[in-house]
Amino acid sequence: MLHSLIRDFLKLRLCTTLQVREKGHLSRPHLRNPSWFLRKERKMRDNLVTAENKSFVQEIVHDVYGQSSVIKGVQSPNQICQTQLVKTGDSEVQLWTPNTRRTGVIARKIGQYPLWLKNGEKIRTTLLQVVENHAIKYTPPEEYKPAHRPKVAELNKYGCLLVGAESCDPSILTKEYCNLFKNSGVTPKRHLVRFLISPSAAITPGTPLNANHFRVGDYVDVRGKTVDHGFQGVVKRHGFKGMPASHGVTKTHRRPGNIGGGGEKGRVWPGTKLPGHMGNRWRKAKGLRIWRINNKYNVLWVQGSAIPGSTNGLVYIYDSILPLRRHKTAPPFPTVLNDPEECEDVWFEEVHNFKSETITFKPEEQN
């Protein structure tokens, strides 16, 4: 009897123990959604909705958000209560300093196109279209507490600006997701991105952002997600040459070969080039010059053809952080405040403009 009581007493857990995880947690992806991330689309479908009810829903959406109009080249809604939407021009504009960090924009990669300099040199460029960008919400530095701390020095000096792109139908979105755009006065957006900015570069919610946020000749950094190729071998993933097709080679044509795991090591060294998942990773292209800007369609001609991402994929554009390619003069700060009264296309001074007249004909004067 005494032994059974002692055995039961030892089985009791009088103190809490730490949870021991297996090694699998190192390779599994972890996702902790930020505070503003909500379920976007509702599960209900419109298969059973009649045509009359669909027209009624569209009337309600039109009454809430109003008819859209073009402001700074961006489709923006006209709210019934315009007093709720504060214009950027009404706020106090602060001066730009070299250490100031502006907001970025969301663009769509639409293709590649060559340009020629005036000296005859051919350059490759990528076309990035800024798609209906609006400022949604600004969080000051004292209130910004991200779930995943970014690798930014002195993070407590920067605030967070939420930018949305590509307006969509509010009737297919959840009520919680639509409430994110309640104070901004714009139609709910399909894509949301956060940018770390200086408090002096804060933008009023509802302000449109277009291609004139940058200037020709400026250097920008582009961030995008690379093309997802799935699981690939070492020949495609790392560019291995492989073995010959004949002359005694058997079933090792595209294999990696020996990785040198013998001797005292007896293990696979970290960083060894082996088969695995290729692509679908965030990458940055830094220090890219803007050669041309189209104000009508909000398109940027950016240097290079190796910008990460597939065609029609989204990328994020912001001022370059490279020390030698930062702004020397003040850019539009915090952004373009009014509609620019410029020509449709703006070319860099070193680029040859094919639209300009190169050969002129003058009739001979008759004596």
Side-chain angles (χ1 to χ4, degrees), residues 153-210:
E154 300 179 351
L155 182 62
N156 55 355
K157 291 185 178 181
Y158 301 108
C160 176
L161 181 66
L162 185 63
V163 179
E166 289 189 355
S167 303
C168 58
D169 188 6
S171 61
I172 64 175
L173 305 176
T174 60
K175 182 179 179 180
E176 295 79 11
Y177 186 79
C178 293
N179 288 337
L180 297 175
F181 309 88
K182 184 177 181 180
N183 297 329
S184 61
V186 299
T187 310
K189 301 293 183 178
R190 192 180 307 275
H191 307 285
L192 294 176
V193 179
R194 294 175 296 178
F195 291 101
L196 297 179
I197 63 174
S198 302
S200 59
I203 300 177
T204 307
T207 304
L209 302 172
N210 55 8

Side-chain angles (χ1 to χ4, degrees), residues 18 55 300:
L18 297 177
S55 61
L300 304 174

Side-chain angles (χ1 to χ4, degrees), residues 125-264:
T125 60
T126 302
L127 278 67
L128 305 177
Q129 184 178 21
V130 182
V131 284
E132 297 182 9
N133 283 215
H134 285 86
I136 306 300
K137 181 182 178 181
Y138 172 70
T139 304
E142 56 272 8
E143 299 179 5
Y144 178 57
K145 298 179 180 180
H148 291 279
R149 185 179 178 85
K151 298 181 181 179
V152 179
E154 300 179 351
L155 182 62
N156 55 355
K157 291 185 178 181
Y158 301 108
C160 176
L161 181 66
L162 185 63
V163 179
E166 289 189 355
S167 303
C168 58
D169 188 6
S171 61
I172 64 175
L173 305 176
T174 60
K175 182 179 179 180
E176 295 79 11
Y177 186 79
C178 293
N179 288 337
L180 297 175
F181 309 88
K182 184 177 181 180
N183 297 329
S184 61
V186 299
T187 310
K189 301 293 183 178
R190 192 180 307 275
H191 307 285
L192 294 176
V193 179
R194 294 175 296 178
F195 291 101
L196 297 179
I197 63 174
S198 302
S200 59
I203 300 177
T204 307
T207 304
L209 302 172
N210 55 8
N212 289 304
H213 185 70
F214 304 100
R215 303 169 300 181
V216 290
D218 292 345
Y219 293 95
V220 295
D221 295 345
V222 182
R223 182 174 184 263
K225 184 175 289 187
T226 57
V227 180
D228 189 4
H229 294 276
F231 192 93
Q232 296 295 332
V234 293
V235 174
K236 184 173 181 179
R237 191 185 184 197
H238 299 294
F240 282 21
K241 182 180 179 181
M243 297 292 288
S246 62
H247 296 283
V249 178
T250 304
K251 298 182 181 180
T252 57
H253 306 286
R254 299 175 67 90
R255 289 188 177 183
N258 183 21
I259 61 174
E264 297 181 357

Side-chain angles (χ1 to χ4, degrees), residues 75-95:
Q75 290 287 342
S76 304
N78 287 332
Q79 287 264 346
I80 299 177
C81 300
Q82 289 288 346
T83 56
Q84 298 179 0
L85 183 59
V86 181
K87 302 294 184 180
T88 308
D90 299 339
S91 59
E92 296 182 0
V93 179
Q94 301 186 15
L95 298 178

Side-chain angles (χ1 to χ4, degrees), residues 274-349:
L274 293 174
H277 193 96
M278 179 180 177
N280 198 27
R281 297 291 185 268
W282 288 103
R283 294 293 181 265
K284 298 178 183 178
K286 300 181 180 180
L288 306 179
R289 168 168 276 177
I290 299 177
W291 294 103
R292 176 184 172 188
I293 295 178
N294 184 276
N295 299 320
K296 182 179 181 181
Y297 299 102
N298 289 325
V299 179
L300 304 174
W301 275 256
V302 181
Q303 171 74 37
S305 59
I307 292 180
S310 59
T311 305
N312 295 327
L314 292 180
V315 296
Y316 311 141
I317 311 174
Y318 46 89
D319 297 335
S320 180
I321 62 175
L322 298 181
L324 299 180
R325 297 195 174 185
R326 292 183 178 179
H327 293 293
K328 301 297 187 298
T329 58
F333 187 79
T335 184
V336 179
L337 304 180
N338 301 319
D339 293 334
E341 298 179 358
E342 298 180 357
C343 58
E344 180 179 338
D345 278 341
V346 181
W347 303 69
F348 190 56
E349 55 183 6

Side-chain angles (χ1 to χ4, degrees), residues 49-64 169 171:
V49 180
T50 61
E52 296 180 356
N53 291 338
K54 289 183 180 179
S55 61
F56 175 74
V57 172
Q58 295 299 328
E59 291 178 1
I60 296 299
V61 173
H62 184 272
D63 295 340
V64 173
D169 188 6
S171 61

